[in-house]
Amino acid sequence: MPETFSFGVDPVTTHAWNRDRSEVAVSLNNHEVKVYKKTGITYNNTATLQEHGQRVTSIDWAQKSNSIVTCGADRNAYVWTLQGNGQWKPVLVILRINRAATCVRWSPDENKFAVGSGARIISICYFEEENKWWVSKHIKKPIRSTVTCIDWHPNNILLAAGSTDFKARVFSGYIKDVEQKPSATAWGAKMTLGNLMCEYSNGGGGWVHNVSFSPSGEKLAWVGHDASVSVAMAGGDKIAVVKGNFLPFMSMTWVTENSMVCVGYDCCPKLFSHSDDGQVTFITDLDIPQEKDQMTMSAMNRFRQMDKTGTAENTGEIKTKHQNTITKVSVFAGTKADCTKFSTSGADGQMIIWDFKSLEKSVSGLRIA
């Protein structure tokens, strides 16, 4: 059974785990970030990060250095480091943007991070040793609208971004001050900062809500407000797209090289696969009500169903474990290449940890590639 935790009635807009998954940082749709530590079967609030003046929009927790980076609608980003006294110390990042910061991600080597914004800018931020502060360089063209999501390639150089101009793009995020000159990749050879390697549109009219490189970095997937899941291969111009009878997706992650978990307004994690022949296929819902759940229906509900002949199934009850939009999915145990557990947070104030491997056994006919 999935592990379910509640943080109250406020929506959990995003969450990020520390390295050993003993702590989680969450945003409850306000200007604070709360850090929770697992004690037994519950999570206790151990710290509240309060430097932001407006709503926190994104959080990322560095797995190696244990630093937290946050960004918010106040146009600021902060890097938080844990002090010897147990307090988190913030350092302001010089973003140089005039609109809300919308998303933030550490690079795999954690020597820089990227911040997307409503200013149609991506800020690539790095630590300047001489002045002991975080500075940034900008990627601007050809972004024409708010940057909603970003993800780093495993090589620490390439950066994928999605925006509200319905496009997913791959840029070079190379900063010569902090890293060696990179070699060419299947996505392109020119690596100067901000160089546009690829630009994709699936032909739909949906904002791109999340982008993600596959574990190998050879595939790029994105989900949008048009309820689509799209995948592009490195070095190719063809895009595989699937659109079903889904509500819009808000977040996604790879769980193997060929499988993705997507979440959103359906309140249910959904599994998709990308085959060797380039097709994206919906596999199954990962939150299916069990038989025993149906047996616990109250006598009043049974009476109402019997009274509504022909509409017995439509009781208005949400049968999924999440009772509102799922806002974020992330790998909890394992890696993108071999995920064993993943976590979701939602607008219902819940965080749920799902045992991905046990789902393979419980869902009839499911085979995870």
Side-chain angles (χ1 to χ4, degrees), residues 66-328:
N66 199 41
S67 297
I68 298 174
V69 61
T70 62
C71 68
D74 57 359
R75 309 184 301 280
N76 289 325
Y78 294 94
V79 175
W80 304 78
T81 53
L82 187 62
Q83 305 298 296
N85 59 3
Q87 301 295 311
W88 289 91
K89 179 183 177 181
V91 175
L92 179 66
V93 182
I94 303 175
L95 292 180
R96 299 182 292 119
I97 57 176
N98 59 5
R99 296 290 186 274
T102 54
C103 49
V104 62
R105 289 291 178 274
W106 285 103
S107 69
D109 291 347
E110 298 178 11
N111 57 350
K112 57 187 177 180
F113 57 87
V115 180
S117 70
R120 301 181 295 176
I121 289 172
I122 300 172
S123 300
I124 308 297
C125 309
Y126 59 98
F127 192 71
E128 195 174 74
E129 290 289 348
E130 183 180 352
N131 296 306
K132 303 298 182 183
W133 60 10
W134 290 88
V135 296
S136 64
K137 293 185 178 181
H138 286 169
I139 298 175
K140 297 181 179 180
K141 296 179 180 180
I143 304 169
R144 292 184 291 275
S145 191
T146 298
V147 178
T148 54
C149 49
I150 47 181
D151 189 43
W152 287 95
H153 188 277
N155 71 359
N156 203 66
I157 300 297
L158 299 180
L159 179 72
S163 61
T164 55
D165 58 9
F166 316 143
K167 300 289 182 64
R169 300 179 175 92
V170 178
F171 296 98
S172 169
Y174 168 57
I175 301 291
K176 64 179 181 180
D177 296 338
V178 298
E179 54 201 341
Q180 296 181 348
K181 186 177 180 179
S183 57
T185 71
W187 295 96
K190 188 178 180 181
M191 290 294 179
T192 55
L193 176 66
N195 182 56
L196 178 65
M197 317 296 282
C198 307
E199 180 179 89
Y200 299 106
S201 173
N202 64 13
W207 292 359
V208 178
H209 284 306
N210 203 203
V211 291
S212 182
F213 279 110
S214 67
S216 67
E218 296 301 303
K219 302 177 183 179
L220 176 68
W222 65 96
V223 294
H225 206 75
D226 58 350
S228 66
V229 179
S230 308
V231 178
M233 297 284 294
D237 56 1
K238 292 185 178 180
I239 304 172
V241 184
V242 62
K243 292 184 181 180
N245 188 24
F246 313 127
L247 293 178
F249 294 112
M250 293 297 294
S251 182
M252 65 158 295
T253 184
W254 294 87
V255 287
T256 71
E257 179 62 29
N258 298 309
S259 304
M260 303 158 281
V261 172
C262 304
V263 299
Y265 287 84
D266 273 320
C267 310
C268 174
K270 297 178 182 294
L271 183 68
F272 292 82
S273 71
H274 182 256
S275 61
D276 293 335
D277 61 358
Q279 299 297 314
V280 180
T281 307
F282 170 63
I283 303 300
T284 185
D285 289 338
L286 294 177
D287 184 6
I288 300 175
Q290 302 296 315
E291 292 288 336
K292 60 182 181 181
D293 294 336
Q294 306 298 324
M295 298 298 290
T296 60
M297 186 183 300
S298 68
M300 179 59 73
N301 281 338
R302 290 182 181 276
F303 176 81
R304 287 171 178 166
Q305 285 197 355
M306 292 172 62
D307 189 53
K308 295 179 180 179
T309 304
T311 59
E313 296 299 321
N314 185 17
T315 63
E317 178 186 4
I318 300 177
K319 296 181 180 179
T320 54
K321 292 176 176 60
H322 274 291
Q323 295 292 293
N324 208 327
T325 302
I326 303 176
T327 55
K328 176 73 179 292

